Amino acid sequence: MNKIWLIIQREYISRVKKKSFLVMTFLVPVLSMGMMALIIYLVAKQDDLCDKKKVEVVDESGMFRNKLKSSGSIEYSYSADNYATAKAGLLKSGYDYLLYVPGSITGVQLFSEKKASALTIQNIQSALSDIAQSQRLVSAGIDTAVLAKAQRPITLDAKQITESGEKDAQTYVAYAIGFISAFLIYMSLFIYGAQVMRGVIEEKVSRIVEVIISSVKPFQLMLGKIIGIGLVGLTQFVLWIALSLALSTVAGTVMMSKSTGNITEQVAKSQGVSSAQLSQASATQVQENGTAKIMKSIESIPVAYTIFCFLFYFLTGYMLYSAIFAMVGSAVDNETETQQFMLPITLPLVFTFIISMNFIINNPDSSLSIWLSMIPFTSPIAMMIRIPFGVPAWQLAISMMLMILGFLFTTWVAARVYRVGILMYGKKASYRELAKWFMYKE
Amino acid sequence: MGTNMISIRHIVKQYASQRALDNVSMEIERGTVFGLLGPNGAGKTSLIRIINQITAPDSGEILFNREKLNQKHIERIGYLPEERGLYKKMKIGEQILYLARLKGLDKQEAMRRIKYWFVKLEIESWWDKKVEDLSKGMQQKVQFVATVLHEPELLILDEPFTGFDPVNAEIIKNEILELNKKGATIIFSTHRMESVEELCDSIALLNLSHKILNGKVKDIRNTYRNGTYLLEYEGDHLAFNGSAPFTLLSETNHEGSYQVKVKIQDGKKVNDVLHYLLPLVTINRVEEIVPTMNEIFIQTVSKSK
């Protein structure tokens, strides 16, 4: 036991002391925060960043006169010219588009030098439709006050009924948490598993392995390495979480005070385009409601429970796969030879990841989702997707138990191959060879 | 001393299609230098790995100090494998400390001994160096220190001199002999026969997974004596006839100085040869040709095929 502890220490300290570890630890949260900030910035400034499209409007019907509101991306101006002159002069006029509304309002046309973008077409179309609709309703004798009332949008308030009472069932937060945690597990299984494999290959190639296993059992060496690197992973996660929280609190307070105004204004503007009749004030109202709802539904996710499950599935999943990675490392003489053995590792992981992101996240309670969250090879990812949506306790219990049995099993198999593999120099291993090594007596 | 450090009894080790050791037995006396010899693939490394408990035999047993070999003996054995290496990116000092602690030494004691050896081998300045910055020979020195640091009773050295220049090989050889003088039993696996004659008290020769020769170096060489002598003399050319107590094997003549190889007839002694020659020539040199371990090695191995 004492010797495993020595091995764990060496594996841990030698990695944590590396410059690359420090760089990764500080750079990743900073970079991801930076990226988030950039995305928020780009979304907020979207309209300013893309060129304003100038649209010349020739409205023979008179229905839209001064009703099309310019927004960040489109600027309307009404032309005094008639259709033919405007059309002929478009290329030299400095306008990007010419919108022609005939008197009958049928056969509305949009002309441009370049092909019109789908977004622009859609924006103009919906602006026109909104106005036309209101206009027609008004001309059919509907009061404008009634009209404004009628056009107020409806938002759906999803609630979940559990034994402990009602709670908000906003799925997009569950969606985001499931997505992020499953993605992190998927990535970390590869990153830290590959570190285990490289560590084993390094010991084998440098031939130090024979010196060490004359002092400790191969199993102790393998387990010490797996645990040591696992702790490195855990340290990195904890530091990332702590740093991200610290950074986002700092950035959050700065950003909030500075740009809330901007964003709401921006949102209001874009809302203004799609429902021209709505007042700016009510648009802002809707948005604020949404933000409050997101905040509320984040609060409805049990943080401690989710973090516990995440760490559990990360650790057991890591143990399960890194044992296989260690086995592969013991069988080869260099990293390029590992390719042929990587399929059994990458196949279940990639398969689960793709299924998770496309299917489980939308159907967290389907029988396929439940099965995938039970099988130890797929459950670390599949279960993490399901957890934010709520998983029955018995399913979680079975899945966790199977996970523990799963990693005990792969560790046992891997150790049997590993003890033989690390002493086989210059022998090209095949799957048959591995099976033979597995069968060797002590 | 007379007691056995290691008793190897009827060891069989089978790998999938190939038998690495077939009913091999031998005794290694405490305090001796024991040479484990044999061509590549004879089973030397398999046997050494079994003594180190890296692998276990299929049948047979090994006694360490008359006790059945078990886990607690690991700390009393020092092993320098033929395929050796160190962590390339780890500092020398930390690395030796780590290896010593894996052998059960506590930190303070290990530090004290590392300092002793570093001073002794004049490598004090290497503590903070990384292995990748050292030459092959320097790495071997570090590895040697790591092997002997826990003062093992049994030292197993697989080809210890490869990679050393003659000066350093001599230093290491003397360290090995000094450890032996202090009481360590040494198992020494090699193909280099010169060093065997110089260092070993006893040897075992393995070939194709069988032990084909075993005993004290002196005894083995005695059994391989066959009455061949080298003579050098000056004088007239002699035409040996039937009355000579030997048969001539070869003769070279260099300006009146003759060098001949003779085989003494059964029942005669070297004194009879001298007696025969004394009145005829001036004798400069008489030497018995005892086969070297190298010759015995080649002869025995090729005979056993």
Side-chain angles (χ1 to χ4, degrees), chain A residues 3 6-7 10 17 202-203 206-208 210-217 423 425 436 440 442, chain B residues 16 49 54 56 71 74-75 79 81 83-88 90 94-95 98 101-103 143:
Chain A
K3 287 181 180 175
L6 280 174
I7 294 169
R10 194 202 84 85
K17 266 198 334 203
E202 183 207 349
E203 277 169 359
S206 74
R207 303 290 195 249
I208 195 173
E210 199 159 344
V211 175
I212 291 179
I213 59 169
S214 69
S215 305
V216 302
K217 292 195 161 162
L423 293 172
Y425 307 125
K436 240 196 273 170
Y440 276 171
E442 261 302 298
Chain B
R49 282 178 179 174
I54 290 171
Q71 279 290 313
I74 279 180
E75 296 175 0
Y79 175 38
E83 298 278 10
R84 43 187 163 254
L86 297 160
Y87 288 109
K88 293 210 161 36
M90 209 173 167
E94 284 171 17
Q95 184 143 220
Y98 173 63
R101 292 183 73 193
L102 282 185
K103 278 287 188 189
Q143 192 118 37

